[in-house]
C-alpha cells in the first residue's frame, strides 16, 4: 500500500491525489474486505519500514482481526526491526485508569522497552524518542471521534516531538467508529488549549487518525514532520464500526463498546458538571445522574424531540467516581436511529434540561466544561437560560470554517 511523504508545501496536492477514485479491481477488492492501515502495511511485507529501527505508539486497540497485538506480530517478524514501544494514557497494555499510565518498563511478552508518553510533549518527549534509538515512529491507536479523547493529542504531541528529534512519522489508519460523515459541535478557542484539545478542532471531528495527522501537519504544527500515512481500504465515511468486521477492544477502561463511542462526544460534557457521567457503571456515558433527580429529567429530555434518541428514567449506583456506592437517579440514553442521531446536540439538550429540572445542578468549580467545549460560550449561555437550539446556533459560523478546512484533508469517500 503506498504511503504519502508530505512537506507543508506539497500537503494539499498530496492529499488531493490520495482521494483519487480507485480502479475497478481495487474497488471490488475493498468492498469484499475492509482492511486497516496495519493490514495493508503487513500485506506489503512492511516494505515501508525496511531498514529502519522502528518504535510504535500504541495501546490495546492495536490488534489484528484475530486479536493478536500488532507489537507481538511485528516483534516476531524478521522483516521489521521493532526496538521500542511508546505507551499513551492508560498505558500500552491498558492497565491504568483515566489520568494514569504505566510508566517505563520492559514488556514481559516481548522484552521490548516501553516508554511512557503520557503528559509529555515538546523537547522532553523528543528526548525520549532520541534515547530510544528509533529512526521511524509508527502510530496505531483506535480513536473514538471526539476532540477531547486524548489519543489524538498524543498523536499531535508525538508528531511535534518526532519533528524536533528528526524522526520519520508513520500513521496506520483505523476507522472512525461513529462515521466520518460530518464535523459537529463547537470549535476549540486556542486560549482553552489543554491535553483534551490542543488546536481549533470541532467537538466531533468526523475524521480518521490519518486524516487528523494530515490536518495537524498542514495547519497546526510549528513546522511539518516527515509524515507518511498507510490508508485503509474499503472504509466509507458513512460506515459505523460494525461495518468494519473488526473486533472492538476498549480504547480506555470507560469506553467498553462502540455504543459508548456513539454518545461520548456529547455526554462527556457531564464530566464538567456535578452529575455522574456513568463512570463506575456498565454503561458509562449512556447513564447520567445525581442524587435528587427523578423522572422529570427523562420526560423533559424526551420533550425536546431530539432525532434518533429516546431517554429512559434510570436509577443506578456507581462503583467508583462520582456518587460511589450511592443510588442516584437520572437517564439512560437509547439511540434508536444512528444515522439521525446528533450526539453533540443531545449532550447540550441534556445539560439544558438537567439544569431546568434539578435545582442541585452545578458546573465543576474549575469550569472544566470550558475546556471540554473549547470556550466559555456553552456554560454562559446555559447559565443565562438559553435553549438547546440557541446554544447550538452559537457555534455554527466557527464550525462552518472548520468544515471547510477539514475538507482538504479527507482521504475517503
Amino acid at each position: 500500500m503506498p504511503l504519502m511523504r508530505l512537506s507543508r508545501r506539497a500537503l494539499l496536492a498530496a492529499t488531493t491525489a490520495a482521494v483519487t477514485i480507485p480502479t475497478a479491481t481495487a474497488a471490488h477488492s475493498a468492498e469484499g474486505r475492509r482492511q486497516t492501515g496495519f493490514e495493508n502495511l503487513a500485506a506489503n511485507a512492511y516494505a515501508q519500514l525496511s531498514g529502519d529501527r522502528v518504535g510504535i505508539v500504541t495501546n490495546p486497540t492495536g490488534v489484528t482481526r484475530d486479536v493478536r497485538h500488532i507489537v507481538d506480530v511485528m516483534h516476531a517478524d524478521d522483516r521489521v526491526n521493532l526496538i521500542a514501544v511508546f505507551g499513551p494514557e492508560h498505558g500500552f497494555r491498558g492497565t491504568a485508569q483515566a489520568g494514569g499510565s504505566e510508566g517505563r518498563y520492559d514488556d514481559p511478552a516481548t522484552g521490548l522497552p516501553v516508554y511512557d508518553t503520557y503528559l509529555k510533549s515538546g523537547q522532553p518527549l523528543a528526548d525520549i524518542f532520541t534515547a530510544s534509538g528509533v529512526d521511524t515512529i509508527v502510530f496505531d491507536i483506535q480513536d473514538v471521534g471526539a476532540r477531547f479523547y486524548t489519543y489524538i493529542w498524543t498523536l499531535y504531541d508525538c508528531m511535534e516531538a518526532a519533528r524536533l528529534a528528526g524522526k520519520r512519522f508513520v500513521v496506520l489508519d483505523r476507522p472512525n467508529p461513529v462515521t466520518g460523515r460530518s464535523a459537529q459541535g463547537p470549535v476549540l478557542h486556542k486560549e482553552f488549549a489543554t491535553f483534551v484539545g490542543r488546536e481549533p478542532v470541532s467537538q466531533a471531528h468526523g475524521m480518521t487518525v490519518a486524516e487528523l495527522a494530515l490536518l495537524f501537519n498542514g495547519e497546526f504544527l510549528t513546522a511539518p514532520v516527515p509524515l507518511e500515512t498507510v490508508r485503509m481500504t474499503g472504509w466509507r465515511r458513512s460506515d459505523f464500526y460494525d461495518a468494519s468486521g473488526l473486533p472492538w477492544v476498549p480504547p480506555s477502561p470507560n469506553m467498553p463498546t462502540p455504543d459508548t463511542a456513539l454518545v461520548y462526544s456529547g455526554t462527556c460534557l457531564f464530566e464538567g458538571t456535578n452529575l455522574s457521567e456513568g463512570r463506575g457503571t456498565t454503561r458509562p456515558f449512556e447513564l447520567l445522574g445525581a442524587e435528587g433527580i427523578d423522572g422529570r429529567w427523562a420526560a423533559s429530555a424526551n420533550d425536546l424531540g431530539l432525532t434518533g434518541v429516546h431517554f429512559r428514567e434510570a436509577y443506578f449506583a456507581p462503583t467508583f467516581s462520582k456518587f460511589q456506592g450511592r443510588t442516584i437517579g437520572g437517564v439512560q440514553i437509547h439511540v434508536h436511529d444512528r444515522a439521525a442521531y446528533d450526539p453533540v446536540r443531545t449532550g447540550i439538550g441534556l445539560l439544558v434540561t438537567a439544569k431546568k429540572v434539578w435545582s442541585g445542578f452545578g458546573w465543576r468549580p474549575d469550569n472544566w466544561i470550558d475546556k471540554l467545549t473549547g470556550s466559555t460560550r456553552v456554560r454562559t449561555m446555559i447559565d443565562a437560560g438559553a435553549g438547546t437550539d440557541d446554544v447550538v446556533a452559537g457555534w455554527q459560523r466557527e464550525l462552518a470554517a472548520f468544515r471547510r478546512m477539514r475538507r482538504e484533508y479527507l482521504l475517503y469517500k
Side-chain angles (χ1 to χ4, degrees):
M1 185 68 182
L3 285 82
M4 300 187 303
R5 293 178 182 258
L6 301 170
S7 66
R8 193 181 297 271
R9 177 176 295 177
L11 185 63
L12 291 181
T15 304
T16 301
V19 297
T20 301
I21 298 173
T23 65
T25 301
H28 177 75
S29 174
E31 284 298 311
R33 179 174 174 81
R34 294 171 172 85
Q35 292 187 292
T36 65
F38 175 77
E39 288 173 320
N40 285 325
L41 178 74
N44 199 33
Y46 305 102
Q48 297 91 346
L49 305 179
S50 178
D52 285 357
R53 295 167 297 178
V54 176
I56 186 164
V57 184
T58 191
N59 71 353
T61 66
V63 295
T64 61
R65 288 177 187 273
D66 57 357
V67 293
R68 293 177 296 157
H69 200 284
I70 64 171
V71 166
D72 301 327
V73 173
M74 295 169 74
H75 179 259
D77 197 317
D78 291 339
R79 297 172 296 179
V80 185
N81 185 18
L82 182 63
I83 68 168
V85 180
F86 304 99
E89 183 179 8
H90 307 293
F92 159 48
R93 296 292 186 182
T95 64
Q97 270 289 348
S101 58
E102 293 174 337
R104 166 70 177 88
Y105 67 98
D106 291 337
D107 178 46
T110 62
L112 291 169
V114 179
Y115 299 87
D116 184 11
T117 72
Y118 182 48
L119 298 181
K120 297 177 179 68
S121 60
Q123 193 60 52
L125 183 54
D127 291 343
I128 291 174
F129 289 159
T130 299
S132 72
V134 303
D135 303 309
T136 294
I137 297 158
V138 176
F139 183 95
D140 190 351
I141 292 179
Q142 177 64 58
D143 182 40
V144 301
R147 182 189 62 232
F148 33 61
Y149 205 56
T150 61
Y151 296 135
I152 64 172
W153 305 112
T154 295
L155 169 65
Y156 177 93
D157 288 342
C158 287
M159 289 174 64
E160 177 68 10
R163 182 191 68 81
L164 292 171
K167 309 298 182 184
R168 189 167 65 111
F169 205 89
V170 177
V171 178
L172 308 182
D173 214 3
R174 287 184 181 267
N176 183 325
V178 295
T179 81
R181 291 173 299 172
S182 181
Q184 298 291 344
V187 175
L188 178 86
H189 294 190
K190 278 287 287 183
E191 61 268 30
F192 291 89
T194 67
F195 192 45
V196 294
R198 297 278 196 228
E199 298 289 352
V201 170
S202 66
Q203 193 164 307
H205 51 71
M207 303 178 78
T208 69
V209 288
E211 292 172 337
L212 283 166
L214 296 172
L215 174 71
F216 295 162
N217 219 35
E219 303 291 340
F220 299 137
L221 292 185
T222 305
V225 66
L227 173 64
E228 305 177 354
T229 66
V230 186
R231 293 176 52 176
M232 296 177 285
T233 48
W235 186 77
R236 297 168 297 192
R237 307 207 73 81
S238 58
D239 285 346
F240 288 93
Y241 193 79
D242 51 11
S244 71
L246 293 167
W248 178 262
V249 175
S252 56
N254 291 288
M255 195 63 60
T257 72
D259 289 341
T260 321
L262 186 62
V263 303
Y264 176 76
S265 62
T267 55
C268 183
L269 297 181
F270 280 83
E271 286 187 354
T273 73
N274 59 346
L275 284 80
S276 167
E277 64 275 12
R279 292 181 186 272
T281 75
T282 58
R283 287 288 181 177
F285 304 106
E286 295 176 69
L287 285 168
L288 310 166
E291 286 183 320
I293 295 182
D294 57 27
R296 289 175 296 172
W297 188 18
S300 182
N302 282 318
D303 285 345
L304 293 175
L306 296 168
T307 58
V309 63
H310 296 138
F311 305 96
R312 181 182 67 86
E313 177 183 358
Y315 298 89
F316 54 98
T319 58
F320 64 88
S321 193
K322 299 173 185 173
F323 303 105
Q324 179 177 351
R326 290 141 66 184
T327 299
I328 59 177
V331 299
Q332 182 176 359
I333 298 171
H334 292 267
V335 178
H336 61 84
D337 184 346
R338 295 184 301 183
Y341 175 64
D342 182 337
V344 182
R345 179 183 287 272
T346 298
I348 296 299
L350 286 167
L351 289 172
V352 168
T353 52
K355 190 174 191 300
K356 174 183 175 182
V357 304
W358 183 48
S359 62
F361 179 91
W363 306 109
R364 250 175 59 171
D366 61 357
N367 284 336
W368 184 244
I369 188 68
D370 298 349
K371 304 297 192 302
L372 294 172
T373 60
S375 75
T376 63
R377 182 192 293 120
V378 167
R379 174 175 55 84
T380 55
M381 288 188 73
I382 290 176
D383 281 347
T388 303
D389 289 344
D390 292 331
V391 176
V392 171
W395 64 62
Q396 292 304 313
R397 181 175 298 179
E398 294 170 350
L399 177 60
F402 175 74
R403 285 173 172 169
R404 288 192 296 271
M405 179 175 67
R406 163 187 176 271
R407 192 178 303 128
E408 303 296 330
Y409 301 96
L410 300 182
L411 298 174
Y412 309 94
K413 295 294 186 181

